[in-house]
Amino acid sequence: MSLFRDDGVVLRTQKLGEADRIITLLTRGHGRVRAVARGVRRTKSKFGARLEPFSHVDVQFFARGSELIGRGLPLCTQSETIAPYGGGIVTDYARYTAGTAMLETAERFTDHEGEPAVQQYLLLVGGLRTLARGEHAPNLVLDAFLLRSLAVNGYAPSFGDCAKCGMPGPNRFFSVGAGGCVCGDCRVPGSVVPSPQALELLGALLTGDWPTADACEPRHVREGSGLVSAYLHWHLERGLRSLRYVEKS
């Protein structure tokens, strides 16, 4: 029997039995972890209130054996709130749908339980903090998070130089399969020709140039979001369920 302590973000919850839940978290030290939280569905459970999606928490786990991830699910025995990001997210539909897509993305990019994914964890914490504070439009925060998640997982798109031959940009064509912008010589079937403003926006979101991103016109934001969605879908091999609701917002 071993005790483990870590901080993490609650990604989702599932009902278990009469009063329990299975909590899925992205933690700093152990990557994605699923754990059982006993009695959290009881009305007066303060413990359960801390373990809702979007919550950034300090958690204690109780596991059989010397490893947190073993044959059975560990127990989540204690939690303390670090930051209740849900309070600034769930009351606004655009923030909520964007935040839900961020949680789903983080879970999809950490498909092996118990493997540390510190960069993805830090991206998620920073993204939820920005979203909860309302510092930028929710769809821009989401697209920035998606692009940076792709980058830290080895799929960084190019929005300037040719992704195939390295020809300095700007380049007119964009191919999700080729890795982003491509020159005329490297153009592949299915390439599209986005507006220069949409490509500039996506480059700004990837690098954190928020003044440029915030000043972008809505039509170019929509165009850029379409490119991000297609690029993400290509690399995840199937789309995010939650993105369909973001697109309607």
Side-chain angles (χ1 to χ4, degrees), residues 31-107:
R32 185 165 63 88
V33 174
R34 289 188 307 143
V36 175
R38 302 289 190 194
V40 295
R41 289 166 55 203
R42 296 192 180 99
T43 305
K44 296 182 180 180
S45 172
K46 295 181 180 179
F47 181 38
R50 301 187 191 107
L51 293 174
E52 293 294 334
F54 305 113
S55 295
H56 187 199
V57 289
D58 179 347
V59 190
Q60 180 176 279
F61 301 103
F62 178 81
R64 298 179 184 275
S66 60
E67 300 291 335
L68 177 59
I69 306 300
R71 293 181 180 178
L73 294 180
L75 293 178
C76 178
T77 57
Q78 184 180 344
S79 72
E80 298 294 336
T81 300
I82 297 174
Y85 295 128
I89 293 175
V90 300
T91 55
D92 180 89
Y93 182 76
R95 292 184 197 174
Y96 176 74
T97 53
T100 300
M102 291 164 67
L103 297 184
E104 185 181 355
T105 300
E107 184 170 4

Side-chain angles (χ1 to χ4, degrees), residues 52-197:
E52 293 294 334
F54 305 113
S55 295
H56 187 199
V57 289
D58 179 347
V59 190
Q60 180 176 279
F61 301 103
F62 178 81
R64 298 179 184 275
S66 60
E67 300 291 335
L68 177 59
I69 306 300
R71 293 181 180 178
L73 294 180
L75 293 178
C76 178
T77 57
Q78 184 180 344
S79 72
E80 298 294 336
T81 300
I82 297 174
Y85 295 128
I89 293 175
V90 300
T91 55
D92 180 89
Y93 182 76
R95 292 184 197 174
Y96 176 74
T97 53
T100 300
M102 291 164 67
L103 297 184
E104 185 181 355
T105 300
E107 184 170 4
R108 291 284 296 278
F109 273 123
T110 54
D111 53 351
H112 297 293
E113 290 188 30
E115 292 187 3
V118 178
Q119 287 182 298
Q120 186 68 67
Y121 165 79
L122 293 175
L123 269 178
L124 182 60
V125 171
L128 292 178
R129 182 189 303 119
T130 300
L131 191 65
R133 290 176 177 173
E135 297 174 356
H136 309 284
N139 54 340
L140 290 179
V141 176
L142 172 60
D143 285 343
F145 175 79
L146 297 179
L147 288 171
R148 295 177 197 181
S149 293
L150 285 159
V152 300
N153 285 281
Y155 306 118
S158 172
F159 298 118
D161 297 348
C162 178
K164 298 190 74 175
C165 72
M167 178 179 175
N171 287 291
R172 295 182 55 211
F173 306 104
F174 187 90
S175 167
V176 294
C181 286
V182 290
C183 64
D185 292 338
C186 296
R187 181 185 181 186
V188 296
S191 298
V192 296
V193 185
S195 67
Q197 294 89 341

Side-chain angles (χ1 to χ4, degrees), residues 15-21 41:
K15 293 180 180 179
L16 180 67
E18 293 292 327
D20 306 335
R21 279 197 180 118
R41 289 166 55 203

